[in-house]
Amino acid sequence: MKILVINGSPKKDTSDTMKITRAFLDGMNDAASQKVKIIHAVEKDIKYCKGCFTCMHNGGKCVYNDEMKEILDEIVQSDLLLFSYPLYAYGMPAPLKAVLDRTLPLTSMTMRKSGGRYEHVEQQDLSKLRYMMICGCGFPNSRKNFEPAVQAFKLAFSEDSTIITMPENPMFSAPEADVVTKPRLSLVRKAGRQYAENGKIEADLLAQICSPMIPEETYVKIVNGEA
């Protein structure tokens, strides 16, 4: 499988969320060898979309000549598009949002009705492409934190997208937290293996992965310097 990972964290390889993503990819490789390409959005020259819609009329050619063209080519050639990013203001970091906005050339102005709403018809054959989002945050739970990002991703890509959301993410950079973070990454690796083998993650396993690693109150005390 050809996997394109677009990392939205400005921290690039040191991102806490990328630790989760790499564990997932390791699990996929446990099942079968995968071809993985990782792009750090912050490193790329990607201008902000100006909403001229030229690309939606001319077969997908953007008025900007920057590195987004290469990313679009990679997306079209991939089997799995994986967005990995930390939660910023209940959404994506700006470099990754710029990438998302500039995927407009993949669609045309023509619309169709799908599932009670309207969407633009693709200008490229994306029928084989699957979508995944891995997102972490520094809050102690997932309630009323990830919902905007999850909904935006599903609307942008697919309701069938596979989504992992992880609270208490800063613990992945704390060596003293290895006692809880390493078992969690093992679960993520197991999920990656399941996804490679079956195209999905068991609901119970996904629920375990997306739950707090330590009690919420304990985590807050640590963050607040009270523990």
Side-chain angles (χ1 to χ4, degrees):
M1 180 183 295
K2 185 172 183 180
I3 303 168
L4 177 63
V5 179
I6 304 183
N7 175 22
S9 174
K11 296 178 181 178
K12 298 183 280 188
D13 281 323
T14 62
S15 161
D16 294 325
T17 306
M18 274 301 293
K19 293 180 174 68
I20 304 168
T21 297
R22 290 191 184 280
F24 188 86
L25 295 172
D26 286 343
M28 292 192 71
N29 276 307
D30 289 341
S33 180
Q34 313 292 333
K35 185 176 181 181
V36 180
K37 182 178 181 67
I38 298 175
I39 292 173
H40 301 297
V42 73
E43 292 181 340
K44 298 300 181 180
D45 172 27
I46 299 174
K47 296 177 177 62
Y48 295 126
C49 178
K50 64 179 184 178
C52 66
F53 303 123
T54 300
C55 63
M56 302 180 79
H57 292 282
N58 67 5
K61 182 175 174 57
C62 183
V63 295
Y64 291 130
N65 183 24
D66 58 14
E67 292 182 275
M68 190 61 206
K69 183 182 184 302
E70 298 172 12
I71 294 176
L72 290 175
D73 290 342
E74 290 286 349
I75 290 173
V76 172
Q77 296 168 23
S78 295
D79 302 300
L80 174 64
L81 175 62
L82 197 166
F83 273 26
S84 172
Y85 64 96
L87 196 68
Y88 276 27
Y90 305 101
M92 297 177 182
L96 185 58
K97 183 58 167 60
V99 171
L100 177 60
D101 290 346
R102 291 285 304 282
T103 60
L104 208 59
L106 297 177
T107 60
S108 67
M109 288 300 293
T110 304
M111 297 182 187
R112 65 184 171 215
K113 193 171 185 179
S114 175
R117 74 183 186 105
Y118 289 89
E119 61 186 18
H120 291 287
V121 176
E122 299 89 353
Q123 294 195 92
Q124 301 274 3
D125 181 11
L126 303 175
S127 58
K128 70 170 184 175
L129 189 58
R130 291 188 283 171
Y131 306 96
M132 183 169 186
M133 162 184 154
I134 297 179
C135 183
C137 80
F139 289 117
N141 61 49
S142 301
R143 295 187 299 276
K144 296 187 178 180
N145 290 318
F146 291 110
E147 290 89 343
V150 168
Q151 185 66 6
F153 191 84
K154 287 183 176 182
L155 289 173
F157 295 113
S158 171
E159 280 289 335
D160 295 328
S161 300
T162 300
I163 293 175
I164 292 177
T165 56
M166 183 87 73
E168 303 177 343
N169 225 37
M171 293 177 65
F172 289 106
S173 291
E176 61 271 27
D178 282 356
V179 66
V180 292
T181 57
K182 285 186 175 180
R184 187 57 56 96
L185 291 177
S186 293
L187 291 178
V188 174
R189 185 166 185 159
K190 180 180 179 181
R193 187 167 62 251
Q194 282 188 3
Y195 187 84
E197 293 172 345
N198 307 312
K200 59 183 180 180
I201 305 169
E202 292 175 359
D204 288 348
L205 177 58
L206 190 58
Q208 280 183 277
I209 290 170
C210 298
S211 66
M213 289 176 279
I214 62 175
E216 299 173 16
E217 297 78 9
T218 303
Y219 175 83
V220 171
K221 286 181 179 179
I222 293 171
V223 172
N224 292 346
E226 300 169 359

